Amino acid sequence: MWWLVAVARTKQRWLPAVLITLVVAMAVLFGSVQASATVSLPPRTADEILAMIARTEVRALSGTVEQTAELGLPEVPATGAGVAPGSASAMELLTGSHTARVYLDGPFKARLQLLDRLAERDVVVNGGDAWFYNSADNSATHLTAPVPSSAEVPSFAGPRESLPPTPSPDMSARDVPTPEAMASRFLAAIDDTTEVSVGESSSVAGRSAYRVSLHPRSTETLVDSVTIDVDSETGLPLGVEVRAKGQSEPAYSLAFTELHLSTPDAALFEFAPPPGATVMEKALPAKPVPTMPTPEGSPATSQPRPSVTGQGWDSIIALPAGSAPPELTSNPQFAQTMQPVPGGRALTTSLVSVLILDDGRIYAGLVPLERLQSAAAAQ
Amino acid sequence: MSAETAAPHSAGIVRPGIGWALLGSELSVLFRRLRTWAMLIALAAVPILIAVAVKLSSRPTTPGRGPLFLDRITQNGLFVAVTALVVCVPLFLPLTVGVVAGDTIAGEASLGTLRYLLLAPAGRIRLLLVKYAGAVAFCFAATATVAASGALAGVVLFPVGPVTLLSGDTISVGESALRSLLIAAYITVSLLGLSAIGLLISTFTDVPVGAMAATIVLSVVSQVLDNLPQLEWLHPWLFSHHWLGFADLLRQPISWTSFADNGLLQAGYIAVCGALAYAKFSNKDVLS
């Protein structure tokens, strides 16, 4: 029977190894379960929660936000290890996930740090000064403008506007893409076409939050639902999630992963370009005109006026002929991402469709491409 | 029969001394080996090569191309150390650490010295701990060699001044030295999991080259998997996932999230691999 003893001893020796592995596995499981635990909060109606958002008085915060986009766009190839990422492209920001640190202090001081792998893109807004810094190519852009009065929010503002990779001329602290800024754009659009309901409360960035869901009543739009997580204490929106029809993963989400409601260090909002950086100076007109960010070199005379047709979630934004600058349409990268359609090129995602016609007309909306084409044909 | 059960009754008093003596002899054997010195010299050559190449090339480096900070070396020599670490982390450092960690037990077994080590009343667990401590010491020595040689080459060949962080803010030379130390500490921590894996593989074989190769191959496989977007769910569990996260120490303010995540991940690998290595090693029939 000596071998039985030997087997027992062998098993005994493996026991601590098995136990430690189990403990580690349990810790991992417990950690992930705790992260998604629901919390119990006193029940509130949708109107009460919406009123909480409107009343929120959080003006200073520092936190980390994470943006995830699953729009069905082709994945931009990941940069290899140790290689600095190339110049930022708008497409790159609309695929995969990105992490950014946000610092806000009042309406005119903001800093956004987009944390890339081995690189960083910074936006620093301090009063009338705005700095954009890209560590990958060590370039800085300085915008000077008079302190904006009340921020004019563009009428159509989908997820495309978040985390702007290029300096957009209507930059103020309010436009820093926080869940609050995103939520306010969706909440502003609430009307008869939207059904508002209260979901199960959750925990976001370690804070208990109410969840409001917005369901479009229309069947034409690509949007299935928009959920907003609202901090139960302050009424600050902590996370926004947009779901597209026929897609199990959220098409777009922006949420805090870390949040402190204290005033950030004032030195964070002071920016001086580092020695050796290429600095570009830009002055803005006295009154910032909210337009879509156009690439440089487009003639200043062609500031197109967008017109909106349709209502609520079905609305289509249309820009007249000549809106698409020829530099853009001749860009090979543009040709790669846009699929050719009769009379122009189109970008279809699970949430947004954009149609650019050969004569320079642009149509965009949270609707299928066919709706854009019929709207274009109607004019 | 294990050495633990064979230990004399009075060993309890003697053991701590023996543990330290064993560690001392392990370190002196490790750092007196020609192979260890050859690896450290090869690592030290990387930043020197980078610095000399940048110094000799007449064309200015285009920003955004090549490894991190390569374009800024000419303005500030202190960037040589960071650039060299970025270059070394994916391959050269895992290569040398794999050699040392894979050699720990299997090397002694192949030389026939393992049984003599176990004859001393030290116990197998103590021997494993000492061997692992030796590998950890090498991790730190390797990282510090790259950082120090890079700083030296940069100071000699290029001007030195305030350092620009990824966030665009500048810090003084003194603070940049502090951050370089932090980066060295981060990379040392990053390599601890790989060392534990090397130690585990080393207990399974008497052929040190096999253990070294397996460890190095695993480090490459882990990094390849980390770059496949289809395996996104797996990425946070790969021991190489946070290897390049030391860039977070070059932001203003420092982002400690990746430091903490990395430490936790490596601790998990150490716990699991260490426990498995102990189980295997204490069951092992030491024949050589």
Side-chain angles (χ1 to χ4, degrees), chain A residues 10 13-14 17 20 24 28 82 84 101 103 111 113 115-120 122 133 135-138 268 271-272 274-275, chain B residues 63-64 66-68 72 75 86 164 166-170 227 237 244 247 251-255 271-272 275-276 279 282-283:
Chain A
T10 308
R13 294 250 171 73
W14 282 96
I20 288 180
V24 171
V28 167
R101 291 195 288 184
Y103 303 92
R111 181 161 191 164
Q113 300 182 319
L115 309 181
D116 299 315
R117 194 175 195 185
L118 293 177
E120 187 171 313
D122 273 52
Y133 178 74
S135 83
D137 54 5
N138 198 18
L268 273 174
F271 188 86
Chain B
L68 181 75
R72 277 179 246 176
Q75 296 150 20
V86 174
T164 308
L166 289 176
S167 309
D169 303 79
T170 45
N227 272 318
W237 311 108
L244 290 174
R251 305 188 195 279
Q252 185 75 344
I254 292 180
S255 167
V272 171
L276 290 174
S282 55
N283 285 321

Side-chain angles (χ1 to χ4, degrees), chain A residues 4-292:
Chain A
L4 263 184
V5 179
V7 165
R9 184 172 288 177
T10 308
K11 277 190 175 163
Q12 203 184 356
R13 294 250 171 73
W14 282 96
L15 197 65
V18 172
L19 278 181
I20 288 180
T21 312
L22 271 179
V23 165
V24 171
M26 293 285 279
V28 167
L29 276 178
F30 184 71
S32 58
V33 165
Q34 204 185 28
S36 60
T38 55
V39 287
S40 58
L41 287 169
R44 296 249 167 117
T45 65
D47 285 338
E48 280 172 339
I49 297 171
L50 293 183
M52 273 173 70
I53 301 176
R55 274 202 314 268
T56 182
E57 281 179 353
V58 177
R59 285 290 155 257
L61 61 87
S62 51
T64 310
V65 290
E66 194 160 304
Q67 178 199 255
T68 311
E70 298 280 346
L71 295 172
L73 288 168
E75 187 100 16
V76 175
T79 48
V83 180
S87 60
S89 75
M91 300 302 282
E92 179 248 317
L93 287 170
L94 289 175
T95 56
S97 50
H98 295 274
T99 309
R101 291 195 288 184
V102 181
Y103 303 92
L104 292 178
D105 185 7
F108 302 124
K109 279 185 179 181
R111 181 161 191 164
L112 176 81
Q113 300 182 319
L114 185 56
L115 309 181
D116 299 315
R117 194 175 195 185
L118 293 177
E120 187 171 313
R121 279 167 275 173
D122 273 52
V123 181
V124 188
V125 180
N126 193 346
D129 287 295
W131 282 97
F132 299 88
Y133 178 74
N134 186 351
S135 83
D137 54 5
N138 198 18
S139 68
T141 308
H142 186 200
L143 293 179
T144 40
V147 177
S149 46
S150 60
E152 288 172 68
V153 183
S155 53
F156 169 77
R160 292 183 58 83
E161 291 239 333
S162 65
L163 298 178
T166 49
S168 64
D170 53 350
M171 203 66 205
S172 85
R174 279 193 55 158
D175 289 324
V176 169
T178 58
E180 186 188 11
M182 285 294 299
S184 70
R185 287 171 178 181
F186 284 112
L187 293 175
I190 290 186
D191 53 17
D192 311 340
T193 62
T194 311
E195 187 188 324
V196 184
S197 60
V198 180
E200 213 168 307
S201 41
S202 60
S203 172
V204 180
R207 305 176 73 91
S208 53
Y210 291 105
R211 176 167 285 185
V212 205
S213 300
L214 316 180
H215 285 275
R217 287 208 169 89
S218 151
T219 51
E220 295 287 333
T221 174
L222 290 167
V223 180
D224 176 60
S225 69
V226 177
T227 53
I228 300 168
D229 290 315
V230 184
D231 185 23
S232 61
E233 267 175 54
T234 59
L236 180 77
L238 299 176
V240 177
E241 197 177 275
V242 186
R243 287 182 178 273
K245 280 189 176 136
Q247 188 178 322
S248 58
E249 294 282 303
Y252 178 87
S253 76
L254 179 72
F256 279 109
T257 53
E258 221 181 289
L259 178 64
H260 304 282
L261 296 178
S262 52
T263 309
D265 186 3
L268 273 174
F269 306 109
E270 307 289 336
F271 188 86
T278 42
V279 181
M280 206 158 59
E281 290 283 345
K282 273 187 181 174
L284 285 182
K287 189 173 180 298
V289 190
T291 53
M292 292 182 81

Side-chain angles (χ1 to χ4, degrees), chain B residues 32-256:
Chain B
R32 269 187 308 184
R33 280 188 113 155
L34 193 62
R35 189 177 67 192
T36 311
W37 280 102
M39 290 193 297
L40 289 180
I41 289 169
L43 284 173
V46 172
I48 296 171
L49 272 177
I50 294 175
V52 170
V54 171
K55 183 81 180 174
L56 291 184
S57 99
S58 49
R59 276 181 308 130
T61 321
T62 328
R65 297 199 57 189
L68 181 75
F69 289 146
L70 190 66
D71 55 307
R72 277 179 246 176
I73 286 176
T74 48
Q75 296 150 20
N76 198 331
L78 292 174
F79 282 122
V80 176
V82 180
T83 306
L85 283 172
V86 174
V87 170
C88 286
V89 159
L91 185 62
F92 295 126
L93 282 172
L95 203 73
T96 53
V97 168
V99 167
V100 170
D103 193 47
T104 43
I105 302 297
E108 300 283 359
S110 80
L111 287 174
T113 45
L114 190 55
R115 57 179 151 175
Y116 298 113
L117 282 172
L118 292 176
L119 277 181
R124 294 191 178 196
I125 189 165
R126 197 168 303 248
L127 181 66
L128 265 186
L129 285 176
V130 163
K131 282 287 176 189
Y132 186 65
V136 170
F138 179 79
C139 290
F140 182 73
T143 314
T145 303
V146 177
S149 138
L152 207 67
V155 167
V156 169
L157 291 175
F158 300 104
V160 169
V163 173
T164 308
L165 297 172
L166 289 176
S167 309
D169 303 79
T170 45
I171 53 169
S172 65
V173 176
E175 203 190 331
S176 80
L178 190 74
R179 296 222 185 185
S180 300
L181 277 181
L182 275 176
I183 291 176
Y186 184 98
I187 294 175
T188 307
V189 171
S190 299
L191 295 169
L192 294 186
L194 182 66
S195 307
I197 291 171
L199 184 75
L200 171 62
I201 297 174
S202 192
T203 57
F204 276 87
T205 176
D206 288 350
V207 188
V209 177
M212 295 175 195
T215 312
I216 295 161
V217 164
L218 269 182
S219 85
V220 174
V221 166
S222 171
Q223 291 179 81
V224 169
L225 295 180
D226 205 12
N227 272 318
L228 293 179
Q230 287 81 2
L231 295 173
E232 212 164 353
W233 54 272
L234 184 68
H235 290 174
W237 311 108
L238 295 170
F239 61 90
S240 66
H241 183 61
H242 297 289
W243 275 6
L244 290 174
F246 64 85
D248 285 356
L249 299 171
L250 292 172
R251 305 188 195 279
Q252 185 75 344
I254 292 180
S255 167
W256 292 103

